[in-house]
Amino acid sequence: MTNSNNVNQVPENRVENGPDKLVEAFGWAQELFRSEDRKVAKCETDIEQKTIPYFTHLVDVLSLLIDAGADIDQQIGGLLHDVIEDIVPKDGEPDMSAQISERFGARVLALVEQCTDGKADEQRDESSWRDRKEVHINHLKDDNNNLTGEARAIFLDGLLISISDKVSNSRAIVRDLDLFDQRVWCRFNAKPENVAWYYKEMLGVYEEALGKSHRMVRILRPIVLEIERRSEIPRLACGVDHGEKA
């Protein structure tokens, strides 16, 4: 999420020694998310599937960004886009925003912040999910309408990371619905219709800011339509209390 207090402060510095810093970001992200796996609902325990490290998602986002012509800062931002949202700093360490800035500079931090809709120590459950997403979407819409010049250029650079994240996640949802049926929806803090709403709203942001003919928008659009269609299929109650999931 763009920091509204710094909306006109443009971080111009780019990462020095880019390729080396990309390798550093790759290793750091792998370390930070070493113990994290992709979401699997408790009612899916009867399904034979391997535990998939969450890091595979970050690699997928990086691959999409490279394929889309992203620069080194964007590639690093893609690897780190979930750090502020999902990682709690160790005792005595600065917050994750400060660590990103110190390691990779203000521009990478700005790109990561734009992809962030909360912090790891905040409550994240079904009761807060919709509000959090609406705030994030409205910030993106406001930035798209109000930013100009270099600030807008950074905004658009951040959107390339954001849409790559959405392509990766939405493809995984559709793939797993094909493989494991409607129980996949139990993984999320939101009901299927709200997940579909979120992806449709984000698609609208990308279409407005990047253009309907943008390559990544054209990749995302049919996936979002498929998620919307799948969300309308009745979901069988699994009878399991899934508790709170991020």
Side-chain angles (χ1 to χ4, degrees), residues 123-156:
Q123 178 185 5
R124 283 189 284 177
D125 55 23
E126 186 172 356
S127 66
S128 64
W129 186 90
R130 177 94 179 208
D131 288 343
R132 185 162 46 89
K133 298 303 183 185
E134 285 181 344
V135 168
H136 182 60
I137 290 166
N138 288 334
H139 268 283
L140 293 176
K141 289 180 178 179
D142 288 344
D143 283 353
N144 184 49
N145 290 331
N146 297 320
L147 294 180
T148 58
E150 287 298 316
R152 179 167 180 78
I154 290 178
F155 167 72
L156 295 176

